[in-house]
């Protein structure tokens, strides 16, 4: 191989290496949402959406990830929205009923907290799967300003 | 046990046996070479020993990625584990044999690449040695072979132990990407802020050293190149965890190099290029470090080619890191 051909090969190789990450990033863009904390694919039925005071929005895969996300320094949510497991509808966290039971909600996060819009659904799930409804200080996000205490 | 675990178990067993065989053979050859009295017998054993060593080198090259393919494959089977990092923590805090699992996995993280590097070093030294009629590098070749055999034996044995120790119902606390401490481990942005500057200072420096060394090969340059290459490994790992992973995956609080490798596959190319760069710089030093006069030309030529390859790989890794951060 001539020196010129070798130099050309080196330049092409370096150019290909430099081009690879942006091309791969472009191919990955627009995929399904991943948890802002641990990167796990977000299951729509267990999604938690945190709107921060500065306008930023984060989708999280589970209640435990959302709790960890909010535990970081300087976190100031303006609203938190969760999903009713019974209907798939989104609701404000203050209107939600939380149940912890034997049923794993999000396996990757080892999370067993279930969210319901109605008290009846929450109590039915708790009775059926050996769980209990989380009230008072045991409710997720209980220490947030404006959180209603049940 | 699934097909991948069974394959890993089989390969680890064969590797441990071959490692033992090569280790014993190389030590005996070293002893015989030192006595210089059994040259004919050594020569007849050499063929078999080298054949076994070639197979061991191939096994080491296969076993390294297979280990991580196996761990990646097992992630969904474990509740609360998100990626390979979590798998490496299985058994943390457990009593009995299961408590050894994290130590075994840490050993494997060192032994697997070490086995590949030593096998590569042996191949390079063996090739240089073959250019002579007197076997001027025979001692070095056998010593490297013994080390490669030892690494294969220990690596195979460690993987066999890891695979056979029961893991169900064991604690898997600690570490990024296992739930117990996900928050504690990941909510530390900027914990190692030196990683970026260190990466972009060290890798270009290692590249420059390799380039200069490929033109003026001296013992000092070879040693400096090998030391820089060894330093690149931990720095690149911290860079991948603390800088590249949060940026490329758009997860500012998630510091995990394994997640980067899993979810941004182009980073595997960068990791392979870095491994090639580090290996080439090390192999250049092994081939040309203080060699006898009769092999100097062949050794220098081999070292120069290896260093040019290392320089190219370093440059490619740096470019990939720059464009990856730019695209993020």
């Amino acid at each position: 191989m001539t020196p010129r051909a070798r130099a050309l090969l080196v330049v092409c190789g370096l150019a290909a290496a430099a081009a690879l990450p942006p091309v791969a990033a472009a191919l990955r863009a627009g995929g399904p949402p991943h948890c802002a904390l641990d990167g796990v694919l977000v299951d729509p039925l267990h999604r938690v959406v945190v709107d921060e005071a500065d306008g930023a929005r984060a989708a999280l895969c589970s209640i435990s990830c959302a709790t960890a996300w909010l535990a970081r320094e300087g976190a100031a949510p303006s609203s938190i929205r969760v999903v009713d497991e019974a209907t798939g509808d989104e609701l404000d966290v203050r209107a939600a009923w939380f149940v912890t039971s034997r049923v794993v909600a999000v396996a990757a996060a080892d999370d067993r907290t279930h969210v319901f819009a109605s008290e009846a659904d929450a109590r039915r799930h708790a009775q059926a799967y050996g769980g209990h409804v989380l009230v008072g200080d045991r409710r997720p996000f209980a220490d947030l300003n404006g959180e209603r205490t049940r | 046990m699934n097909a991948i675990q069974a394959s890993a178990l089989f390969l680890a067993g064969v590797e441990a046996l071959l490692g033992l065989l090569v280790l014993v053979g190389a030590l005996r050859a070293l002893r015989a070479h030192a006595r210089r009295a059994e040259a004919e017998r050594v020569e007849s054993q050499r063929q078999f020993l080298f054949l076994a060593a070639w197979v061991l080198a191939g096994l080491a090259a296969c076993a390294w990625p297979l280990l991580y393919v196996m761990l990646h494959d097992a992630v969904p089977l474990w509740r609360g584990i998100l990626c390979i990092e979590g798998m490496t923590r299985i058994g943390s805090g457990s009593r009995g044999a299961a408590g050894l699992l994290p130590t075994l996995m840490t050993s494997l993280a060192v032994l697997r690449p070490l086995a590949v590097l030593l096998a590569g070093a042996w191949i390079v030294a063996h090739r240089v040695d073959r250019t002579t009629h007197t076997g001027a590098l025979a001692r070095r070749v056998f010593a490297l072979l013994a080390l490669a055999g030892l690494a294969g034996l220990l690596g195979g044995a460690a993987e066999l132990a890891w695979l056979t120790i029961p893991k169900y119902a064991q604690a898997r606390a600690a570490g990024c990407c296992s739930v117990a401490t996900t928050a504690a481990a990941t909510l530390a942005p900027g914990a190692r802020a030196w990683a970026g500057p260190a990466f972009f200072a060290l890798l270009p420096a290692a590249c420059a050293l390799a380039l200069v060394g490929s033109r003026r090969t001296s013992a000092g340059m070879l040693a400096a190149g090998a030391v820089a290459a060894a330093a690149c490994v931990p720095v690149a790992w911290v860079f991948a965890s603390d800088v590249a992973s949060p940026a490329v995956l758009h997860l500012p609080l998630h510091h995990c190099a394994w997640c980067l490798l899993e979810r941004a596959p182009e980073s595997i190319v960068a990791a392979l290029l870095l491994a090639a760069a580090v290996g080439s710089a090390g192999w250049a030093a092994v081939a040309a470090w203080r060699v006898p006069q009769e092999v100097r030309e062949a050794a220098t030529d081999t070292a120069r080619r290896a260093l040019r390859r290392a320089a190219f790989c370093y440059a490619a890794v740096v470019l990939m890191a720059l464009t990856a951060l730019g695209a993020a």
Side-chain angles (χ1 to χ4, degrees):
Chain A
M1 189 183 289
T2 63
R4 176 176 268 190
R6 190 181 298 148
L8 191 66
L9 205 62
V10 167
V11 170
C12 287
L14 291 177
L20 187 57
V23 170
L27 289 174
R28 271 197 306 275
H34 289 258
C35 177
L37 185 74
D38 57 27
V40 169
L41 266 178
V42 176
D43 174 7
L45 211 56
H46 299 104
R47 183 182 64 232
V48 181
V49 178
V50 177
D51 285 318
E52 309 242 11
D54 61 4
R57 171 172 284 192
L60 297 129
C61 67
S62 61
I63 299 294
S64 56
C65 272
T67 307
W69 177 261
L70 292 169
R72 76 195 198 280
E73 198 177 343
S78 61
S79 80
I80 303 172
R81 300 189 67 76
V82 290
V83 175
D84 175 18
E85 270 191 41
T87 62
D89 294 337
E90 210 171 71
L91 68 152
D92 190 275
V93 72
R94 286 169 294 191
W97 288 85
F98 296 94
V99 181
T100 182
S101 72
R102 289 200 304 262
V103 180
V104 175
V106 181
D110 201 13
D111 191 277
R112 293 161 186 269
T113 312
H114 302 264
V115 182
F116 296 95
S118 80
E119 183 179 0
D121 285 341
R123 297 208 179 277
R124 197 176 303 125
H125 178 95
Q127 195 169 15
Y129 299 108
H132 53 270
V133 177
L134 300 173
V135 292
D137 287 346
R138 298 179 68 190
R139 267 174 66 84
F141 321 113
D143 53 344
L144 293 179
N145 288 339
E147 170 68 327
R148 191 173 73 199
T149 304
R150 284 200 168 93
Chain B
M1 181 169 287
N2 62 23
I4 294 178
Q5 285 172 333
S7 307
L9 192 71
F10 174 73
L11 275 188
V14 174
E15 191 186 5
L17 278 176
L18 261 182
L20 181 63
L21 196 73
V22 168
L23 173 63
V24 172
L27 288 176
R28 288 176 68 182
L30 257 178
R31 207 172 50 191
H33 181 78
R35 286 206 294 261
R36 293 176 186 278
E38 301 165 274
E40 280 182 19
R41 193 165 65 84
V42 169
E43 191 54 42
S44 65
Q45 286 176 351
R46 250 187 172 188
Q47 304 301 324
F48 175 71
L49 184 61
F50 286 169
L51 190 64
W54 277 106
V55 177
L56 182 66
L59 278 179
C62 294
W64 188 16
L66 186 66
L67 169 69
Y68 294 107
V69 169
M70 178 191 72
L71 293 179
H72 177 258
D73 187 59
V75 167
L77 306 176
W78 288 83
R79 207 171 57 230
I81 286 182
L82 308 176
C83 75
I84 291 171
E85 174 66 22
M87 289 298 296
T88 64
R89 308 281 178 169
I90 286 176
S92 298
S94 298
R95 289 181 182 175
L100 293 173
L101 291 169
T103 311
L104 287 171
M105 195 46 75
T106 307
S107 314
L108 281 170
V110 176
L111 285 169
R112 283 285 173 239
L114 193 64
V116 174
L117 283 175
L118 287 170
W122 165 71
I123 290 169
V124 169
H126 175 55
R127 285 194 163 173
V128 174
D129 190 47
R130 277 176 58 191
T131 61
T132 69
H133 296 293
T134 57
L137 286 183
R139 245 185 100 197
R140 187 175 301 191
V141 168
F142 289 132
L144 284 168
L145 206 48
L147 289 174
L150 184 64
L153 170 65
L154 294 176
E159 190 161 342
L160 274 177
W162 193 88
L163 282 163
T164 49
I165 290 174
K167 294 169 204 66
Y168 36 85
Q170 302 297 344
R172 43 178 195 284
C176 168
C177 299
S178 65
V179 163
T181 53
T182 290
T186 59
L187 297 181
R192 290 180 283 191
W194 53 266
F199 179 86
F200 287 113
L202 184 59
L203 265 79
C207 180
L209 270 175
L211 267 181
V212 174
S214 70
R215 291 172 189 279
R216 284 183 296 154
T217 311
S218 65
M221 289 303 299
L222 289 168
V227 169
C232 281
V233 175
V235 169
W237 185 258
V238 176
F239 173 82
S241 300
D242 284 7
V243 180
S245 176
V248 172
L249 301 180
H250 304 289
L251 299 170
L253 304 182
H254 194 69
H255 297 211
C256 179
W258 289 115
C259 286
L260 180 70
L261 292 168
E262 284 181 40
R263 292 173 201 160
E266 71 274 16
S267 57
I268 296 174
V269 177
L272 289 175
L273 283 168
L274 185 67
V278 170
S280 297
W283 296 331
V286 166
W289 176 267
R290 290 185 179 167
V291 288
Q293 186 65 41
E294 61 180 303
V295 288
R296 188 155 293 164
E297 195 179 331
T300 305
D301 186 50
T302 301
R304 285 182 172 173
R305 271 188 280 125
L307 287 172
R308 278 199 295 271
R309 201 164 47 237
F312 172 82
C313 292
Y314 281 130
V317 172
V318 171
L319 280 174
M320 284 186 79
L322 283 171
T323 54
L325 294 182

